[in-house]
Amino acid sequence: MSGNVGVEEVKERNKQLISDVLEVYPEKFGKRRAKHLTTFEADKGECAVKSNIKSIPGVMTIRGCAYAGSKGVVWGPIKDMVHISHGPVGCGQYSWAARRNYYIGTTGVDSFVTMQFTSDFQEKDIVFGGDKKLSTIIDEIETLFPLNKGISIQSECPIGLIGDDIEAVSKAKAKQYNKTIVPVRCEGFRGVSQSLGHHIANDSIRDWVFDKLGDKPARFESTPYDVAIIGDYNIGGDAWSSRILLEEMGLRVIAQWSGDGTLAELESTPRAKLNVLHCYRSMSYISRHMEEKYGTPWVEYNFFGPSKIAASLREIASHFDDAIKQGAERVIVKYQALTDAIIAKYLPRLEGKKVMLFVGGLRPRHVIGAYEDLGVEVIGTGYEFGHNDDYQRTAHYVKDGTLIYDDVTGFEFEKFVEKIQPDLVGSGVKEKYIFQKMGVPFRQMHSWDYSGPYHGYDGFAIFARDMDMAINSPVWRMTKTPW
Amino acid sequence: MAQDAEKVIDHFELFRGAEYTGMLANKKRLFEDPVAAEELERVKEWTKSKEYCEKNFARECLTINPAKACQPLGAVFAALGFEGTLPFVHGSQGCVAYYRSHFSRHFKEPTSAVSSSMTEDAAVFGGLNNLIDGMANAYSLYKPKMIAVSTTCMAEVIGDDLNAYIKGAKEKKSIPMDFDVPFAHTPAFVGSHVTGYDNVMKGILEHFWNGKAGTVPKLERQPNGKLNFIGGFDGYTVGNMREIKRLFDLMGVEYTILGDNSDVWDTPGDGKFRMYDGGTTLEDAANAIHANATISMQEFCTEKTLDLIEARGQEVIAFNHPIGVEGTDRFLMEVARLTGKSIPDSIAKERGRLVDAIADSNAHIHGKKFAIYGDPDLTLGLAAFLLELGGEPIHILSTNGGKEWVQKVDALLASSPFGKDCHVYAGKDLWHMRSLLFTEPVDFLIGNTYGKFLERDTKTPLIRIGFPIFDRHHHHRYPVWGYQGGLNVLVKILDRIFEHMDATTNDVAKNDYSFDIIR
């Protein structure tokens, strides 16, 4: 997309592409989908799409549900609590250990992240209610896992439909065991995607962790440099390769939310001087709450790729004194040689390549800088469950002529990629094999395709290696028969 | 700094360096409120004890690490076995995202299915509009030949009536009146994924045989001498179906595979995405009523389906995922009996090769103790094979196994001296298995990918056989049925035994005298 003529052509092509896919829908739904598809116009400065509204039925949305947002994203990684998938067996089974939230702990003794605790609802539980069963389950957890620090109850669809009172059970059991027990109303039918599950989970931390703190004494002496990492799920170790930079610049990370996190860290967070927020979409709610209630300011940051890392380190440092500001500069200098070497090695192999993304609520914009650091252009992007404020933020990242698709359907995504033929698609496991069969290189951008970390300077090196490995694999030469 | 552009390291090595281990040790000490080391150690050891095992088995309500999934997963599996068929799951949309991910992680293939995306308003008013609109969209976008409808627990709890809703969708012209929309109610709180498979398979046959929802007359059965074959929910479906077809072709059997997923989960990387590929044609599904008999490879996946088929006059034969010599013998002899075809010498030679391989290798398996877990049929098939090999099953566990399964396993064990020390656990989970592996240890564990947590905790070497297998690639392409399949399973078992042998005899100047080059 060099020069204006090129951009205009791209815009025209996108317009045609959008109209081509919409034509195939029944009229009513073509009109509804039209509001989710657009081309970014730099002079207008916005991604004018509707978002965070119901998926239309039958279209193969890539979205998940509120339970996935609460259990799978926010609560699941808190390692020293037991998270009960409350309802039938499936939800917990399909999300069991699937998200790569790395942690250090003795699983089954003091840590429980990669375990599947379920009430495995049977017909009688639906008919007679599951509160008694839940109560017994909590007793059994206390017997078999005495070192757990608390329990969360992750509601699956039936709970809210059969009128169970999990809050009453939680209160009674919390009193009995003098423990944190958190009922979460994240039934999968609530809201339109994972997103409401994040919000509900955030609120449950507010109501059942913060508001129950009482006069619990602090576990440590505060310092002026205490910060909490909010919204990093430590996928492949992301939070660790982020934390190290914050500590190297002189800050003290007192909590990680929620990758490799603990209940103690959640409880200590109101003591932070600054909350640093990576995934705005999933944890802005609790950040705003802490600002209002405890006066803790928060700042968004982006640790993908050296350009955004350096800008973010400086932004974070701007909330502190000169010692930290110098610390940020020191960290940037420390990693300059590594960054230069990575770019020198991979940019020539990747320059000019074009990528299309479709991820959750943050990465569709957050990773763009990292690609650009390697000379790769993002020509299409969209969110599974972004809101209007995400698309507003996206406008600061994308270039003129970028194709924008909200809650893309399987059909649309396939057609877009088929026509545009990007050099790489970054999305999830449900999409991976579709595009690879089409001969288009692919990387999973939720799980890092079982690699990672991608955050921080250490992560950027891995990101660069992986994108090169995907795009320049010899396999893509062989998809066509030579005869 | 550990990272280096010349040799980029990722999570495997990156976090082992002092800068990270030191950082994480500080995190723990200062902020995590960790359990004291001695207390952690004490509880860890206690979880290995007999006392803990008793408490663990006293559980009445809590399920931990179950080896089963829910009905709609099996529903999607069964639907995908038919030509041009789009599985349509009526209920919350997150469920479908889970099924698709789950299958894609196992097969490393796309899995296409849609949801009616019911939300809170549908919970109150019912999901009729979701189904009507969903049908119209799915039909327009994905151009299926058939849409097979099943349900999530949400739709079941509020009591949506699929039969009436599908009629409504046709009346509203979402889909043509004569379009094939078989359906099955598949509540996640009843049974497991194998039940869902059964319900959908039955639903599809009922649809075609019983007058396609009142649009055509019921089919009258006119026996045509053919044989129907149903595989059941099977993680090895790609390799197994191809192997079964090969064997049938060698025998000259006229057959219909009901539910053939072998192509849709194994499409080529040739520049094209095939949303649909292969599968039982709709015509064959209808004509299957005329077959002389139906064989099911997995009894517990097809209980209701076989009842339906039997009621329409066919002979039905059910196996329990036969693996190995005698299981395959019985299967082939039944095929021969039902079709009047003889088993050719070429298959007898394959048999001989498997027997020969067992003769060559059984010394390494003889007397070894095994724990097995998985679906009811698979555990039966594996146990029977182990008994043939002289292996000794000690624990056999199936979370979705019931009383009938226990009786079958007990009968099998009673048939062999190698089965005398075995215990059978129905409805138990992998946390029960963990206790068993500590209190009554075995030499090897056979199960799916989740068994790796048991391997890590109890140091029992895991032989990966089952579903899902997420952390090894392409195993599903190799059959475990037929004599060739038996050979594959034999090699899987032997490889793990030999690897373990090597790994425990390589301590230099201590035990590496046994680090033999020839085994």
Side-chain angles (χ1 to χ4, degrees), chain B residues 46-112:
Chain B
W46 172 64
T47 67
K48 302 174 183 175
S49 67
K50 282 229 158 55
E51 181 200 344
Y52 188 89
C53 182
E54 278 163 25
K55 286 182 191 293
N56 193 9
F57 272 79
R59 259 191 286 148
E60 287 175 355
C61 293
L62 172 64
T63 299
I64 310 163
N65 298 354
K68 69 169 181 183
C70 67
Q71 276 212 53
L73 185 81
V76 168
F77 189 113
L80 285 170
F82 290 83
E83 174 199 21
T85 297
L86 184 63
F88 183 113
V89 191
H90 182 53
S92 300
Q93 70 190 15
C95 316
V96 173
Y98 277 142
Y99 316 140
R100 295 181 64 212
S101 302
H102 206 65
F103 283 128
S104 286
R105 287 174 178 139
H106 173 83
F107 290 110
K108 317 294 180 200
E109 292 284 325
T111 301
S112 300

Side-chain angles (χ1 to χ4, degrees), chain B residues 384-397:
Chain B
F385 190 36
L386 280 182
L387 295 175
E388 274 177 12
L389 299 171
E392 294 177 14
I394 299 296
H395 313 297
I396 301 179
L397 180 149

Side-chain angles (χ1 to χ4, degrees), chain A residues 48-61:
Chain A
V49 288
K50 289 266 185 209
S51 57
N52 194 35
I53 53 179
K54 274 197 252 180
S55 304
I56 61 179
V59 296
M60 220 175 314
T61 174

Side-chain angles (χ1 to χ4, degrees), chain A residues 439-450:
Chain A
V440 180
F442 189 98
R443 286 296 296 187
Q444 291 185 60
M445 294 302 282
H446 298 267
S447 67
W448 307 147
D449 237 313
Y450 323 120

Side-chain angles (χ1 to χ4, degrees), chain A residues 338-350:
Chain A
L338 171 68
T339 299
D340 290 348
I342 292 291
I343 290 174
K345 181 174 177 184
Y346 290 107
L347 185 130
R349 303 167 60 82
L350 295 171

Side-chain angles (χ1 to χ4, degrees), chain B residues 330-489:
Chain B
R330 276 194 296 274
F331 164 65
L332 290 173
M333 289 191 301
E334 280 292 5
V335 173
R337 180 182 70 79
L338 293 167
T339 61
K341 304 284 180 185
S342 55
I343 301 169
D345 285 350
S346 61
I347 293 180
K349 258 193 179 167
E350 288 180 22
R351 181 185 190 279
R353 290 182 190 125
L354 175 58
V355 172
D356 188 54
I358 293 172
D360 296 345
S361 310
N362 75 84
H364 293 289
I365 301 172
H366 190 104
K368 295 270 192 311
K369 294 183 191 314
F370 292 84
I372 309 173
Y373 71 86
D375 281 346
D377 293 294
L378 177 64
T379 46
L380 273 159
L382 284 169
F385 190 36
L386 280 182
L387 295 175
E388 274 177 12
L389 299 171
E392 294 177 14
I394 299 296
H395 313 297
I396 301 179
L397 180 149
S398 184
T399 310
N400 48 351
K403 280 182 196 147
E404 281 177 56
W405 171 76
V406 173
Q407 285 167 4
K408 285 233 157 191
V409 184
D410 280 342
L412 173 70
L413 293 168
S415 72
S416 163
F418 295 98
K420 68 177 175 17
D421 294 330
C422 188
H423 290 95
V424 186
Y425 304 92
K428 299 299 176 194
D429 55 42
L430 300 189
W431 198 254
H432 293 115
M433 182 63 99
R434 185 180 186 270
S435 280
L436 292 173
L437 294 177
F438 279 125
T439 54
E440 296 164 73
V442 297
D443 299 306
F444 294 92
L445 170 67
I446 301 183
N448 61 13
T449 278
Y450 301 117
K452 76 190 294 175
F453 296 128
L454 295 171
E455 182 176 39
R456 176 196 58 195
D457 289 358
T458 70
K459 309 300 171 206
T460 315
L462 172 66
I463 298 164
R464 282 173 176 75
I465 302 176
F467 175 92
I469 304 290
F470 290 154
D471 63 340
R472 296 291 185 274
H473 292 195
H474 307 304
H475 287 205
H476 65 275
R477 297 172 192 277
Y478 299 91
V480 301
W481 291 341
Y483 301 116
Q484 297 288 355
L487 199 54
N488 288 335
V489 175

